Amino acid sequence: MNCIFWNIRGIANNSSRAALKNPIKKNSPDFVFITEPWMNFDNFRKAWLNRFDIKLFAFNNRGSLLPNLWCLCKSTLDPVVLDTKDQYVSFTINHLGTVIGFSVIYASTSYLVRRSLWNTLGNVLPNTPWSFIGDFNAIISSAEYKGNHTPSKAPISDFFNWTDVNSLIQVPTLGNPFTWCNGRKGRLRTEKRLDRVICNMDLLDVCHSIKCHTLPKVKSDHYPLLYSINLEKVTFKSQFKFLNMWTKNEDCLRVIEEVWKTKFWGCPMYVLDRKLKLLKARLKDWNKNSFGDITHNVITAESDLRKIQDDIGNFGYTDLLHELEKDAQGKLESALNTEEDFWKEKSRINWQVHGDRNTKFFHTYAKIRRRTSLINSLVIDNQVINDNVVLESHIINHFKNLFNNDFVPQDNQLIRTSIPALVSDLTNNMLTMIPSDEEV
C-alpha cells in the first residue's frame, strides 16, 4: 500500500497538476493526501481524477471556511471515515484482511491551536495498527531545525510529550532530512522537518516493511512524502552472523580454537578461506545444539529459581537449598545478560542506561530497523519495481556482472575525492627515495 502526502499550492492550476501527475503515475499510490488552503474542490476538474482512477472520499471540516485537506484514494477502495476535524481526517481501511487506521494531519501554525490536536489524536482505536501522516508544523528536537534563530521550546515539548505518552514511533524518512524550507538565501534561510510519518507499535507488529521517502519538491515549499506499507510476509534465507555474546561463553572459544588448529594445505588465503567456512558450520551447529535459544534459557532459569525458592518456603531452609538458590540466581543473571547483549547487538544501539535492563527498548529498535531496512522497491529503467522475484533477479545479475572476470573496472576518482591526501607527491617521493651512501 502506497500513500502520497503533498502540501502543494494552487492544485487547480495546470502547472501544479502537472507536478502532481508525475508521482501519481510513477508510484501508483492507493491514497493521495493534498493540502490546499485556497481551493474549492467543487470547481476542480473531475476528469483529471478519473484519468488516474482515483476519487475523493474525505476532507477536513473547518466550519464556514473552505476545507484545506483533501483525501483521495483508488476507486476500488472503500475507506471508513471515522472523524473529520479542522486539523485532521481519520479513517480505516481493510487491507489484506487487516484493519489499518490513518490520521492525515494538516496542523495549525499556532502551537496553542495544535494543543487541541495533540489531545484529540490520542483517542485512536485500541489495538489497531495506526499511522499519522502529514504536515505537523512542529519539530521534535532542535536537530530537525536549521536556521539562524533558536526554535521555541514550548511547541517542541508539546509535540514530544504527545508522541511519548502514546508510545508512538517516528518512521525514519529517506531523502532530505528537512521537508520544509522558506526559500530564502544566506542568514535568512530556515529549514525544518515538518512533514513526517508516525506510527504505533501495533503497526510494526503486523507490517513486514515500512518505508517513507521524500520526493522532488515542485510548486511548493514542502517536500512530498511517499509512505509505503507492506503486510505480505516475505521469507528470506537466513544469513550467518557472528554474535559478540558468544565470546562470553568459554565453550565458544573452545570451538574456535579447535577449528583454527585444523590443518589445511595451500596458499595462506586458501587456508584462511577453508578455516572460516569450517568455523561457520561448526558455530551454527554449536549455537543450535549447545548454546540454545536465549529466550528459552531465560524462561528455564527463571522457572528453576522459582522452584527452589518455593521449596525453601514450603519445606524450610537448608544449606543445600541455599547453595542451589545461589547457583540458580547466577544462571538466571547470566541468561538475562546474554539476552540483553543479543538485543543490544540486534538493534545496533551503542548506548544504554547503565544498571538498568533495556531488553524491551532494544527489542523495539531492532523491530523498527528490521521493518525499515528491507528493500521492497527499486527504480529500474525509470520504472518502480515492487515484484520480489524481479528485484532478486536484478540484484543478483548486477553483482554477477560487477564481479565477472570480463568486467573492466573504471577509475571514477571515488577514492581520491573521498579520502583526503595527507602526503603530497613531493613528500612521498622523498620518503620512498633509496638512501644514498653519501654523508649529509
Side-chain angles (χ1 to χ4, degrees), residues 19 21-22 45 50 54 60 62 84 108 144 151 161 168 177 189 196 210 250 252 280 286 289 375 415 431:
K21 172 184 175 182
N22 185 53
R45 293 175 56 186
N50 296 333
I54 56 178
N60 62 335
R62 302 176 68 202
T84 57
S108 171
E144 297 181 347
N161 289 337
L168 300 177
R189 185 178 181 85
R196 69 185 74 226
I210 299 176
E250 295 181 357
C252 175
K280 173 183 174 180
W286 171 82
N289 299 320
I375 299 176
I415 297 179
L431 293 173

Side-chain angles (χ1 to χ4, degrees), residues 330-344:
K331 290 181 179 179
L332 177 59
E333 182 72 19
S334 177
L336 289 172
N337 288 333
T338 301
E339 183 186 38
E340 184 178 21
D341 291 340
F342 171 77
W343 285 113
K344 183 169 66 173

Side-chain angles (χ1 to χ4, degrees), residues 254-264 275 278:
R254 178 192 60 79
V255 172
I256 297 175
E257 186 177 2
E258 288 181 356
V259 171
W260 226 248
K261 288 181 179 180
T262 306
K263 297 294 183 180
F264 291 99
K275 287 186 176 181
L278 179 60

Side-chain angles (χ1 to χ4, degrees), residues 45-84:
R45 293 175 56 186
K46 303 303 185 294
W48 190 86
L49 299 178
N50 296 333
R51 188 186 312 167
F52 297 102
D53 194 28
I54 56 178
K55 64 180 179 181
L56 173 69
F57 71 91
F59 51 83
N60 62 335
N61 183 5
R62 302 176 68 202
S64 59
L65 299 177
L66 287 174
N68 59 2
L69 177 59
W70 309 93
C71 301
L72 311 171
C73 71
K74 284 186 175 180
S75 58
T76 56
L77 299 179
D78 293 310
V80 179
V81 180
L82 302 179
D83 197 7
T84 57

Side-chain angles (χ1 to χ4, degrees), residues 339-401:
E339 183 186 38
E340 184 178 21
D341 291 340
F342 171 77
W343 285 113
K344 183 169 66 173
E345 188 173 357
K346 274 277 190 178
S347 61
R348 295 185 181 177
I349 299 295
N350 296 322
W351 55 271
Q352 61 173 317
V353 180
H354 295 287
D356 185 22
R357 297 197 180 280
N358 296 288
T359 305
K360 184 177 180 181
F361 169 77
F362 293 129
H363 188 276
T364 300
Y365 270 84
K367 185 180 293 185
I368 296 173
R369 178 176 163 271
R370 190 183 305 118
R371 297 293 187 270
T372 57
S373 62
L374 180 67
I375 299 176
N376 54 8
S377 64
L378 283 176
V379 178
I380 304 175
D381 297 330
N382 294 325
Q383 291 185 349
V384 179
I385 305 299
N386 299 314
D387 191 333
N388 293 321
V389 177
V390 178
L391 289 176
E392 180 182 358
S393 176
H394 175 76
I395 294 174
I396 292 175
N397 291 334
H398 170 76
F399 285 102
K400 278 186 176 179
N401 296 331

Side-chain angles (χ1 to χ4, degrees), residues 76-118:
T76 56
L77 299 179
D78 293 310
V80 179
V81 180
L82 302 179
D83 197 7
T84 57
K85 298 294 185 183
D86 58 333
Q87 299 183 76
Y88 72 92
V89 173
S90 292
F91 65 93
T92 59
I93 184 71
N94 191 320
H95 182 56
L96 299 178
T98 302
V99 176
I100 300 178
F102 286 88
S103 290
V104 188
I105 314 297
Y106 188 26
S108 171
T109 55
S110 170
Y111 80 93
L112 295 176
V113 179
R114 284 199 302 271
R115 285 179 176 174
S116 63
L117 174 65
W118 309 143

Side-chain angles (χ1 to χ4, degrees), residues 100-366:
I100 300 178
F102 286 88
S103 290
V104 188
I105 314 297
Y106 188 26
S108 171
T109 55
S110 170
Y111 80 93
L112 295 176
V113 179
R114 284 199 302 271
R115 285 179 176 174
S116 63
L117 174 65
W118 309 143
N119 294 332
T120 310
L121 285 179
N123 301 325
V124 300
L125 295 178
N127 302 321
T128 303
W130 210 275
S131 297
F132 302 88
I133 179 174
D135 179 5
F136 290 82
N137 266 313
I139 58 175
I140 205 165
S141 68
S142 57
E144 297 181 347
Y145 175 89
K146 183 188 290 186
N148 237 353
H149 304 285
T150 304
S152 178
K153 293 183 179 180
I156 295 177
S157 178
D158 291 342
F159 188 33
F160 177 81
N161 289 337
W162 170 67
T163 59
D164 186 52
V165 169
N166 294 281
S167 302
L168 300 177
I169 299 164
Q170 306 278 336
V171 177
T173 302
L174 303 177
N176 200 305
F178 303 101
T179 61
W180 172 85
C181 176
N182 62 358
R184 298 185 180 183
K185 298 180 180 179
R187 295 173 58 86
L188 298 178
R189 185 178 181 85
T190 302
E191 295 177 281
K192 297 180 182 179
R193 186 190 177 196
L194 302 181
D195 308 86
R196 69 185 74 226
V197 176
I198 303 174
C199 68
N200 59 5
M201 280 298 300
D202 294 317
L203 185 68
L204 292 180
D205 292 335
V206 300
C207 286
H208 185 62
S209 68
I210 299 176
K211 293 284 187 180
C212 181
H213 302 260
T214 57
L215 300 176
K217 179 177 62 174
V218 184
K219 300 296 293 183
S220 176
D221 51 1
H222 289 257
Y223 284 89
L225 297 180
L226 174 60
Y227 178 45
S228 303
I229 302 175
N230 183 17
L231 297 184
E232 298 179 4
K233 188 173 182 180
V234 182
T235 57
F236 299 95
K237 187 181 295 184
S238 61
Q239 297 179 343
F240 174 80
K241 292 182 180 179
F242 185 87
L243 301 175
N244 291 330
M245 66 175 184
W246 289 345
T247 59
K248 297 182 179 180
N249 190 299
E250 295 181 357
D251 197 40
C252 175
L253 300 179
R254 178 192 60 79
V255 172
I256 297 175
E257 186 177 2
E258 288 181 356
V259 171
W260 226 248
K261 288 181 179 180
T262 306
K263 297 294 183 180
F264 291 99
W265 287 266
C267 68
M269 287 303 299
Y270 173 78
V271 173
L272 177 62
D273 177 69
R274 297 296 299 174
K275 287 186 176 181
L276 289 176
K277 287 184 177 179
L278 179 60
L279 179 60
K280 173 183 174 180
R282 292 281 182 86
L283 284 177
K284 289 176 67 174
D285 182 70
W286 171 82
N287 179 56
K288 181 179 180 180
N289 299 320
S290 299
F291 191 77
D293 183 4
I294 56 174
T295 304
H296 177 72
N297 292 342
V298 171
I299 296 174
T300 302
E302 187 175 5
S303 176
D304 293 342
L305 178 60
R306 184 183 296 110
K307 182 179 179 181
I308 295 173
Q309 291 176 344
D310 289 342
D311 290 341
I312 294 176
N314 294 330
F315 306 111
Y317 167 83
T318 63
D319 292 341
L320 177 60
L321 288 177
H322 175 72
E323 294 298 327
L324 292 176
E325 183 186 23
K326 287 183 61 178
D327 183 61
Q329 287 176 340
K331 290 181 179 179
L332 177 59
E333 182 72 19
S334 177
L336 289 172
N337 288 333
T338 301
E339 183 186 38
E340 184 178 21
D341 291 340
F342 171 77
W343 285 113
K344 183 169 66 173
E345 188 173 357
K346 274 277 190 178
S347 61
R348 295 185 181 177
I349 299 295
N350 296 322
W351 55 271
Q352 61 173 317
V353 180
H354 295 287
D356 185 22
R357 297 197 180 280
N358 296 288
T359 305
K360 184 177 180 181
F361 169 77
F362 293 129
H363 188 276
T364 300
Y365 270 84

